[in-house]
């Protein structure tokens, strides 16, 4: 387990040892859920029918991060390590894959290939699994802190900012966000979409860090942290007052990235289906409960088996 894994895992509270483990998972599930409702007629019934599995599996990649080697690097890319060439999409094409800096954009492309294959072969369970996982990875690249080596503010004395931005703020304010969006659209260039999303996320970082400091100044260090009730558990962390101040200073940034993630996920699910020849999924709309059971069993097996090694 790398330091990065351990630190973010602790912030998100999603290391498997941590009991209920919904910390940080809330937004992933909500984003996948809203993406389903943007799908066109040929896909919507299938995804709606398997909604429960799609939500459960949407957090699997984070659960896997702590037990499967090579998983962690699929969730991020440290774009600040490529200052000369990584500021625009065409320049990104010259970036070579370096696993020490994260491989998020290449992983998106791999996941789209897998999902397209699953559609083409009509592999019912794998369509659900890959859709859920692609949704997870796409959500991650919409988070500015997934695009920098200062991923938790540890280099700027802002430790904890990762969980604040991607977990605490959505949990507090998602209900206020307008997540009604236009229908999914066909994506001509998946690599371009992935890289441009990452660049946009990266461009948000200045305000992510700067406004955290400004909110601290306005609220005061002594009121920045406190105890609050989280899912019935008394938790110590950023106070609601501080979180609200930071959220206000960000002027809708979290909401904009979330909206963008929902639209992007829905559109890439749709694109993979079209690229597979738009197969009819009607015969596959059967037995969601038993399928979910089978999927969860295979997931436990996958994680458990790796854990033994
Ligand atoms: Zn992740």
């Amino acid at each position: 387990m790398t330091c990065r894994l351990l630190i973010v895992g602790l912030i998100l509270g999603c290391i498997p040892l941590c009991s209920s483990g919904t910390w940080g998972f809330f937004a992933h599930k909500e984003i996948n859920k809203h993406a389903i409702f943007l799908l066109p007629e040929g896909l919507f019934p299938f995804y709606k029918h398997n909604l429960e599995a799609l939500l459960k599996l949407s957090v699997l990649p984070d659960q896997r991060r702590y037990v499967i080697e090579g998983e962690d690097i699929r969730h991020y890319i440290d774009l600040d390590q490529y200052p000369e060439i990584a500021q625009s999409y065409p320049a990104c094409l010259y970036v070579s894959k370096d696993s020490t800096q994260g491989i998020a954009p290449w992983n998106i492309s791999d996941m789209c290939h897998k999902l397209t294959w699953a559609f083409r072969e009509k592999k019912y369970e794998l369509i659900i699994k890959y859709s859920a996982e692609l949704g997870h990875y796409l959500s991650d690249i919409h988070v500015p802190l997934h695009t920098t080596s200062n991923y938790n503010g540890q280099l700027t004395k802002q430790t904890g900012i990762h969980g604040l931005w991607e977990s605490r703020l959505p949990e507090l304010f998602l209900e206020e966000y307008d997540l009604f969006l236009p229908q999914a659209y066909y994506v001509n260039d998946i690599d371009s979409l992935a890289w441009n999303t990452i660049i946009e996320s990266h461009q948000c970082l200045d305000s992510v860090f700067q406004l955290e400091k400004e909110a601290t100044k306005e609220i005061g260090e002594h009121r920045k942290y406190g105890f609050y009730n989280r899912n019935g558990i008394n938790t110590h962390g950023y106070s609601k007052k501080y979180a609200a101040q930071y959220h206000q200073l960000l002027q809708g940034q979290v909401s904009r990235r979330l909206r963008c993630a929902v639209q992007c996920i829905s559109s890439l699910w749709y694109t993979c289906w079209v690229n597979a020849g738009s197969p009819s999924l009607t015969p596959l709309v059967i037995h969601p409960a038993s399928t979910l059971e089978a999927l969860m069993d295979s997931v436990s097996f996958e994680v458990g088996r790796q854990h033994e090694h």
Side-chain angles (χ1 to χ4, degrees), residues 12 28 61-62 65 71-72 74-75 136-137 140 146 166:
L12 300 176
H28 277 299
D62 273 346
R65 275 177 95 160
E71 174 60 43
D72 181 43
R74 301 166 80 185
H75 299 245
H136 178 102
Y137 296 123
D140 277 356
H146 278 251
E166 83 166 20

Side-chain angles (χ1 to χ4, degrees), residues 72-90:
D72 181 43
I73 55 175
R74 301 166 80 185
H75 299 245
Y76 67 88
I77 180 166
D78 292 339
L79 215 56
D80 50 327
Q81 300 303 309
Y82 306 97
E84 337 73 47
I85 51 174
Q87 298 306 316
S88 68
Y89 168 62

Side-chain angles (χ1 to χ4, degrees), residues 41-43 45-46 49 122 124 273 279-286:
E41 198 61 11
L43 282 177
F46 175 81
H49 199 67
K122 297 196 175 184
Y124 179 44
W273 176 67
S280 166
L281 300 175
T282 314
L284 300 180
V285 182
I286 44 165

Side-chain angles (χ1 to χ4, degrees), residues 233-253:
I233 298 166
N234 201 25
T235 309
H236 188 262
Y238 294 100
S239 67
K240 189 169 179 185
K241 202 169 182 64
Y242 175 78
Q245 185 63 24
Y246 182 43
H247 191 252
Q248 194 192 330
L249 289 172
L250 285 167
Q251 294 187 349
Q253 184 190 68

Side-chain angles (χ1 to χ4, degrees), residues 142-190:
H142 283 80
V143 176
L145 292 155
H146 278 251
T147 69
T148 173
S149 52
N150 190 21
Y151 55 93
N152 193 27
Q154 75 279 13
L155 306 176
T156 45
K157 296 187 178 154
Q158 294 172 292
T159 304
I161 195 170
H162 195 110
L164 170 65
W165 197 101
E166 83 166 20
S167 298
R168 183 98 167 108
L169 296 186
E171 283 179 15
L172 282 171
F173 303 108
L174 188 124
E175 265 184 19
E176 297 170 12
Y177 300 164
D178 173 12
L179 294 176
F180 292 99
L181 295 157
Q183 258 209 345
Y185 59 89
Y186 182 79
V187 177
N188 283 309
D189 186 341
I190 293 171

